[in-house]
Amino acid sequence: AQTVTQSQPEMSVQEAETVTLSCTYDTSENNYYLFWYKQPPSRQMILVIRQEAYKQQNATENRFSVNFQKAAKSFSLKISDSQLGDTAMYFCAFMKHVGGATNKLIFGTGTLLAVQP
Amino acid sequence: NAGVTQTPKFQVLKTGQSMTLQCAQDMNHEYMSWYRQDPGMGLRLIHYSVGAGITDQGEVPNGYNVSRSTTEDFPLRLLSAAPSQTSVYFCASSYDRKVNSPLHFGNGTRLTVT
C-alpha cells in the first residue's frame, strides 16, 4: 500500500522569504503522480502543483516549485516570495497510474504554514 | 458556475441517527468522490463514482452508503451515525477519471456525532 508522510506539522515563514515543505512517500509503483494541495481557512481544497513521475523536470507554477527526487521518494514544495495569502494547510498527495482508470488520491497528514508579516 | 456544492455546512447528530450529506456539481463531471478529513490523518477516500449508476468503495467505506442516480448529484448517507464518524467531509469531482482531470473540491461539511 502507498503511504505519504509529511514530517513537519507546522512551519512559519516571514513574508517575502522562501520556505520548503517536505513530503516523502512509499510505493512500489513506477508510474504515478504527485500533488500539492492548499487548504486555507475557508476549507476549500486548491490544487497548487502536480508532478508526473515519468518526467524528470521539476514542475513549477509561478512562485511554487517542487524538488522531485524519484529514487529517494521525496517531493518537496518550495514557495518563493511568500505572501500572507499563502497561509494555509498544505497537503501532499499521491495517485498511482492504473491506465488512467482512477482518480483516487492518498493524502499526507498536512503541514500548517503560517506566513508572518 | 457554482462548481461543487455541499450541504449542509455544519451538522450535529446523535448516535444512531441517520442523515444524508448532499453534493452537487454543475460542471457535467463524470467522476465524483467523497473524502473525510480527520486531524492528524489527512483526507481519506470513502466512496467514488465514475459515472451515473456506478459506484465503488474507497479506503474507508464502512458506515456509509452512496448512490449516483444522476450525473450532477452524489449523496453520502450515514444510516446509523457513530461518534467515530465525527469529521469534515469533502466531495470532489473531475471531468473524468483520468489523472489529468484535476479534482474540484466542495467547501466541506463539518459533522459532529454526539
Side-chain angles (χ1 to χ4, degrees), chain A residues 27-33 53-54 70 94-98:
Chain A
T27 184
S28 58
E29 303 287 334
N30 191 45
N31 292 326
Y32 50 88
Y33 302 82
Y54 63 86
K70 191 173 184 179
F94 171 98
M95 179 188 300
K96 67 179 180 181
H97 183 270
V98 187

Side-chain angles (χ1 to χ4, degrees), chain A residues 65-116:
Chain A
S65 62
V66 298
N67 183 4
F68 173 50
Q69 302 289 329
K70 191 173 184 179
K73 295 180 182 174
S74 171
F75 183 60
S76 60
L77 174 70
K78 186 171 83 170
I79 306 174
S80 304
D81 186 25
S82 297
Q83 300 175 1
L84 295 178
D86 295 334
T87 292
M89 181 74 86
Y90 287 82
F91 291 97
C92 178
F94 171 98
M95 179 188 300
K96 67 179 180 181
H97 183 270
V98 187
T102 68
N103 210 347
K104 294 190 258 189
L105 289 166
I106 298 170
F107 285 86
T109 53
T111 296
L112 181 61
L113 176 68
V115 180
Q116 308 292 343

Side-chain angles (χ1 to χ4, degrees), chain A residues 25-73:
Chain A
Y25 57 94
D26 187 24
T27 184
S28 58
E29 303 287 334
N30 191 45
N31 292 326
Y32 50 88
Y33 302 82
L34 295 162
F35 304 81
W36 278 98
Y37 277 86
K38 168 185 176 182
Q39 186 180 40
S42 66
R43 237 168 38 195
Q44 179 72 33
M45 292 286 287
I46 302 164
L47 177 63
V48 175
I49 199 165
R50 55 172 276 165
Q51 174 81 41
E52 291 88 345
Y54 63 86
K55 288 187 178 178
Q56 292 186 341
Q57 186 172 4
N58 289 325
T60 62
E61 284 288 344
N62 300 315
R63 298 183 294 108
F64 299 88
S65 62
V66 298
N67 183 4
F68 173 50
Q69 302 289 329
K70 191 173 184 179
K73 295 180 182 174

